[in-house]
Amino acid sequence: MTRPPTPATATTPAPEAPAGAAAPAHPALAAADPELARLVAAEERLQADTLRLIPSENYVSAAVLEASGTVLQNKYSEGYAGRRYYEGQQVIDQVERLATDRARALFGVDHANVQPYSGSPANLAVYLAFAQPGDTVMGMALPMGGHLTHGWGVSATGSWFRGVQYGVRRDTGLIDFDEVRDLALRERPKVIFCGGTALPRTIDFAAFAGIAREAGAVLVADIAHIAGLVAGGAHPSPVPHADVVSTTTHKTLRGPRGAMLMCREEHAKAIDKAVFPGLQGGPHNQTTAAIAVALHEAAQPAFRDYAHRVVANARALAAALLDRGFDLVSGGTDNHLVLIDLTGRDVPGKTAAKALDRAGVVVNHNTVPYDPRRPFDPSGIRIGTPSLTSRGLGTEHMAAVADWIDRGVAAARTGDEDALAVIRAEVADLMGRHPAPGVPA
Ligand SMILES: *Cc1c(COP(=O)(O)O)cnc(C)c1O
């Protein structure tokens, strides 16, 4: 049998490639769609040259990237391993079992569902499993550090359900468990969420579990941000305390964009039914494969080391920022995240974040508890250490990072673009000496 001729486009070099240039990192893409290939290359440069401090972001390994770009993409497999609605699952069933077995072993849970498309649909599936529309649900308010899907008003979870919300104390920036308990006993929610997106301190899962038990509520620990720290032993595990553990796979856990729901055997059926057929159709098998790879990586000794370095870096960065007179919500950090209140610096969070972006220091503006400003132009910036740790930066670099933030925020106030350009060059120099995993050189 002769092979059909390869289509011309597959071997034609991208027309704009200059003579003598390095081979493109993604040759098929460069040939088929040079316009998109250029954008991918530009994003690769951005991720290589900048200091990425957004605490929900990371760099996945080249192996995770490869797994998520495989032909597993081509397969439909509604249902669960051994119980599918499509044939041809000889391999896919094994891939999904590998992922769920690894999740169960890593987190020490009875049951894991790796099919949720992302963290938000995972949380929606939890509501579907345990509540009816109109029921009361409870979570941390978004401006206090919670997540949209914990019952905040603009989210479906706050309009289809009656969301009641707790916060942190004004004086300490810490969760007030007396308030949480009073609210839970008064409102009797079906579901209580703990965890969040801007919480710099250790979450006391046992305290939440005691309150949920008293109130007759299902406790959901949403560890989207800290899953990698939990897996690496750098944050206590919610598993002994929570009825359900929800997590994304793409933050500190350093996997592909996706999510998992984990629970004790008694809730397994309800969770699985809620994900499929309750909420979703076919799982994204290429993502399942990449989750399996990430979980394998997270089970290695090097990952424990990474998780502890993430926390050590965040503590060192917080200390260096305090040294420079910054005001930190809760006064510091126990995890990967630092929330800076810029009120005393007389510059809004968004202005600071945009200036830092021009300086190659990528952060996000964020509300601080009891923020006097509006949510789309709040008083804080949120930073974190997962990405810089993944590219090998250590505590010895955190003074420089704090310095760039300090100078960048000062330049934001005075509109000093030259100062931002100087920082950008210094950042690119350090980043050039610490190549990012998965990003072509
Ligand atoms: C990121 C996050 C989510 C949502 O994840 P998406 O994948 O963005 O939908 C849910 N809960 C918490 C606490 C998060 O940090």
Side-chain angles (χ1 to χ4, degrees):
M1 245 183 98
T2 53
R3 289 165 61 96
T6 314
T9 50
T11 48
T12 310
E16 80 290 353
H26 315 288
L29 186 59
D33 189 343
E35 191 177 7
L36 193 278
R38 268 196 300 276
L39 292 174
V40 173
E43 176 65 20
E44 286 167 350
R45 295 282 47 84
L46 207 52
Q47 292 194 17
D49 295 346
T50 58
L51 175 63
R52 301 170 65 237
L53 291 178
I54 294 175
S56 49
E57 293 183 349
N58 215 326
Y59 294 96
V60 299
S61 69
V64 167
L65 273 183
E66 279 183 17
S68 61
T70 55
V71 297
L72 300 178
Q73 158 80 37
N74 297 339
K75 190 67 195 132
Y76 240 109
S77 42
E78 283 184 0
Y80 292 99
R83 298 171 282 140
R84 304 283 190 186
Y85 291 80
Y86 294 75
E87 298 313 316
Q89 308 296 343
Q90 295 84 348
V91 174
I92 298 296
D93 275 5
Q94 296 182 64
V95 170
E96 190 168 321
R97 284 202 177 102
L98 201 54
T100 54
D101 285 351
R102 287 174 177 174
R104 292 193 300 122
L106 185 65
F107 288 95
V109 289
D110 292 344
H111 182 72
N113 185 314
V114 295
Q115 293 193 7
Y117 299 141
S118 212
S120 302
N123 286 348
L124 205 50
V126 174
Y127 291 104
L128 197 57
F130 298 108
Q132 297 290 321
D135 279 350
T136 300
V137 300
M138 184 168 146
M140 184 179 240
L142 179 67
M144 292 283 180
H147 189 261
L148 279 166
T149 56
H150 296 185
W152 188 244
V154 299
S155 156
T157 64
S159 54
W160 294 349
F161 305 98
R162 192 176 145 269
V164 297
Q165 307 262 275
Y166 58 87
V168 296
R169 287 176 59 110
R170 190 188 279 271
D171 53 347
T172 59
L174 302 177
I175 292 168
D176 180 342
F177 282 101
D178 292 333
E179 183 208 344
V180 174
R181 181 170 178 274
D182 288 349
L183 192 63
L185 295 182
R186 189 168 66 241
E187 302 287 354
R188 298 281 165 178
K190 285 274 174 58
V191 180
I192 298 176
F193 271 80
C194 63
T197 62
L199 306 180
R201 295 297 182 175
T202 301
I203 300 166
D204 188 346
F205 297 117
F208 275 107
I211 291 168
R213 211 175 305 118
E214 242 188 299
V218 170
L219 178 66
V220 186
D222 183 348
I223 60 167
H225 260 260
I226 56 170
L229 306 185
V230 171
H235 187 290
S237 171
V239 169
H241 310 290
D243 295 294
V244 178
V245 176
S246 173
T247 185
T248 60
T249 47
H250 49 270
K251 298 179 184 175
T252 51
L253 191 56
R254 215 160 60 177
R257 303 200 83 83
M260 307 193 293
L261 289 170
M262 299 178 279
C263 60
R264 284 192 285 274
E265 197 53 46
E266 60 179 301
H267 298 308
K269 273 213 174 73
I271 288 292
D272 283 356
K273 254 182 65 188
V275 173
F276 174 85
L279 197 62
Q280 298 189 169
H284 296 178
N285 296 311
Q286 78 285 4
T287 300
T288 304
I291 289 173
V293 174
L295 292 169
H296 180 62
E297 291 175 351
Q300 307 308 314
F303 192 89
R304 289 187 79 81
D305 185 49
Y306 146 81
H308 285 92
R309 280 189 292 115
V310 166
V311 174
N313 281 338
R315 284 187 190 280
L317 180 53
L321 289 165
L322 289 170
D323 279 349
R324 286 157 182 79
F326 279 98
D327 197 0
L328 307 183
V329 172
S330 84
T333 183
D334 299 326
N335 54 30
H336 64 302
L337 180 151
V338 176
L339 188 55
I340 305 177
D341 184 344
L342 292 172
T343 310
R345 292 274 170 142
D346 197 26
V347 55
K350 198 193 251 180
T351 307
K354 286 193 175 304
L356 285 167
D357 194 38
R358 295 197 294 283
V361 177
V362 188
V363 307
N364 66 273
H365 63 82
N366 211 95
T367 54
V368 296
Y370 306 97
D371 204 317
R373 302 179 59 87
R374 296 156 302 160
F376 44 85
D377 188 14
S379 300
I381 53 174
R382 189 183 68 149
I383 60 176
T385 51
S387 296
L388 65 78
T389 304
S390 290
R391 61 192 297 175
L393 268 62
T395 51
E396 69 275 19
H397 298 108
M398 294 307 111
V401 173
D403 223 47
W404 288 326
I405 294 170
D406 193 17
R407 286 156 56 198
V409 167
R413 195 179 46 239
T414 55
D416 186 348
E417 292 299 319
D418 292 345
L420 297 177
V422 171
I423 297 170
R424 190 175 187 98
E426 292 175 13
V427 168
D429 179 57
L430 182 65
M431 295 303 114
R433 283 179 278 128
H434 295 272
V439 179

